[in-house]
Amino acid sequence: MGLTLLLFLCFSVILTPSLSQHHSPLNTAYYRRSCPRFEQIMQETTTNKQITSPTTAAATLRLFFHDCFVGGCDASILVSSTPFNKAERDAEINLSLPGDGFDVVVRAKTALELACPGVVSCSDILAVAARNLVVQTGGPFYPVNLGRKDSFTSKASLVEGNLPRPTMSMDQIIQIFGSRGFSVPEMVALSGAHTIGFSHCKEFSSNLYNYNKTSQYDPSYNPRFAQALRNACNNFQKDPTLSVFNDIMTPNKFDNMYYQNLPKGLGLLSSDRGLFSDPRTRVHVEEYIRDQNAFFKAFASAMQKLSDHGVKIGRSGEIRHRCDAFNN
């Protein structure tokens, strides 16, 4: 009996760390019985939307990131404001979130409500849509745990300071990620999402015009790239929709070209170029330049971790009937 107990205790000690590292209140088979066509409907919806609107993948990835970093992955970003509540999506930093990300969630929710009413949460839809679209643009597959509930609240006042901005110092960006449990290499891997999508000129115009007394533009830019950006964004004050691809080489392909651009001065945002100039992050950029598989593996792992961040379960959330409004 004593030997059995000793073996059990030893076995427990060996197992416990790995269990705690990978423990999630969610699981990948959550809808297997309650909504067996969930994966199929999600796949059809994301495929069709991406074909008709190729900017959907980057839009959805950014929407998911902005949702998870403010109060967890709980679909609070999807809620519309009312006369009584200014919601997250109307915070200043979220006003530039493209409509395609919201639209793919609405389309999936509509189809799923017909197939299995009141079963699938908006937060699960957004998490799976982001994963599917990464894969559809050439990125890595990663499993997404399911069973999130949707938030009861969404407040614009909670957004500021919780999302990284392109103008922030590397210290600030590392701190924002670190406070959510993400290491520097994980932060660098998640930044690789800029391999697809675009940014509005107003987000980086301060680096292009009247930069300082000695230079019109930030000298960390490649000079020809800076001139091309100045031309492309010339009318941005009159036309706020003007934008530029984050990765000018392969803007619609999920690959490691984003990192390859950085040593050449082709990073669009100052936070992008900062990844190469800061020694804490450069070592990881260099690794992902050398080895796309290493980037894909790191990105998949970090996205899986992000997908579980701050999730609501049980009575701490609800299954919304509509993704843009709380249930009555």
Side-chain angles (χ1 to χ4, degrees), residues 214-255:
T214 57
S215 178
Q216 275 287 303
Y217 56 82
D218 184 336
S220 64
Y221 276 124
N222 175 299
R224 287 176 62 193
F225 183 47
Q227 194 52 56
L229 291 175
R230 282 165 60 83
N231 295 340
C233 293
N234 196 31
N235 204 32
F236 83 95
Q237 286 173 316
K238 290 181 183 172
D239 183 359
T241 64
L242 282 178
S243 53
V244 178
F245 287 123
N246 291 323
D247 166 8
I248 56 164
M249 298 301 187
T250 56
N252 295 311
K253 187 169 181 235
F254 200 101
D255 55 17

Side-chain angles (χ1 to χ4, degrees), residues 166-232:
T167 51
M168 283 181 175
S169 69
M170 196 51 64
D171 282 340
Q172 289 173 298
I173 293 171
I174 288 171
Q175 192 278 324
I176 283 180
F177 278 84
S179 66
R180 285 156 183 77
F182 290 93
S183 65
V184 171
E186 286 172 329
M187 180 273 282
V188 176
L190 288 172
S191 299
H194 283 175
T195 182
I196 54 174
F198 59 85
S199 294
H200 290 94
C201 289
K202 64 176 168 42
E203 292 176 41
F204 53 91
S205 59
S206 61
N207 298 321
L208 293 177
Y209 307 101
N210 307 313
Y211 182 70
N212 61 27
K213 289 178 181 176
T214 57
S215 178
Q216 275 287 303
Y217 56 82
D218 184 336
S220 64
Y221 276 124
N222 175 299
R224 287 176 62 193
F225 183 47
Q227 194 52 56
L229 291 175
R230 282 165 60 83
N231 295 340

Side-chain angles (χ1 to χ4, degrees), residues 25 38 54 70 82-83 102 154 157 181 188 197 200 250 257 287 296-297 325:
F38 169 72
V70 181
T82 68
F102 293 94
S154 176
S157 58
V188 176
H200 290 94
T250 56
M257 188 61 74
E287 181 191 0
F296 277 16
K297 190 175 177 182

Side-chain angles (χ1 to χ4, degrees), residues 27-29 39 127-128 131-132 135 140-146 148 300-301 303-308:
N27 67 82
T28 55
E39 294 284 358
V128 172
R131 189 273 313 279
N132 286 2
V135 174
F141 176 89
Y142 54 92
V144 174
N145 289 318
L146 302 167
R148 295 164 194 76
S301 174
M303 282 298 289
Q304 209 176 341
K305 181 173 172 178
L306 178 63
S307 300
D308 281 352

Side-chain angles (χ1 to χ4, degrees), residues 6-20:
L6 184 64
L7 284 170
F8 173 75
L9 287 172
C10 291
F11 191 59
S12 299
V13 169
I14 292 165
L15 274 187
T16 303
S18 61
L19 283 175
S20 62

Side-chain angles (χ1 to χ4, degrees), residues 27-152:
N27 67 82
T28 55
Y30 190 81
Y31 296 115
R32 191 163 289 167
R33 289 185 177 177
S34 58
C35 193
R37 290 187 58 231
F38 169 72
E39 294 284 358
Q40 182 194 344
I41 289 169
M42 286 301 306
Q43 193 61 55
E44 287 170 0
T45 306
T46 52
T47 301
N48 292 340
K49 175 66 181 171
Q50 178 67 12
I51 289 168
T52 54
S53 306
T55 57
T56 302
T60 308
L61 202 47
R62 188 167 168 226
L63 185 65
F64 179 61
F65 184 85
H66 281 226
D67 182 42
C68 294
F69 258 51
V70 181
C73 305
D74 58 6
S76 51
I77 191 72
L78 304 176
V79 174
S80 294
S81 295
T82 68
F84 312 103
N85 179 56
K86 185 179 178 183
E88 274 179 40
R89 69 194 286 177
D90 286 322
E92 186 265 332
I93 195 172
N94 287 332
L95 294 176
S96 63
L97 288 170
D100 285 326
F102 293 94
D103 185 57
V104 73
V105 173
V106 170
R107 289 180 185 215
K109 180 65 169 171
T110 303
L112 287 162
E113 284 300 303
L114 288 170
C116 26
V119 171
V120 180
S121 68
C122 301
S123 44
D124 277 347
I125 291 171
L126 180 54
V128 172
R131 189 273 313 279
N132 286 2
L133 289 158
V134 165
V135 174
Q136 278 167 235
T137 49
F141 176 89
Y142 54 92
V144 174
N145 289 318
L146 302 167
R148 295 164 194 76
K149 294 290 178 68
D150 301 325
S151 71
F152 291 126

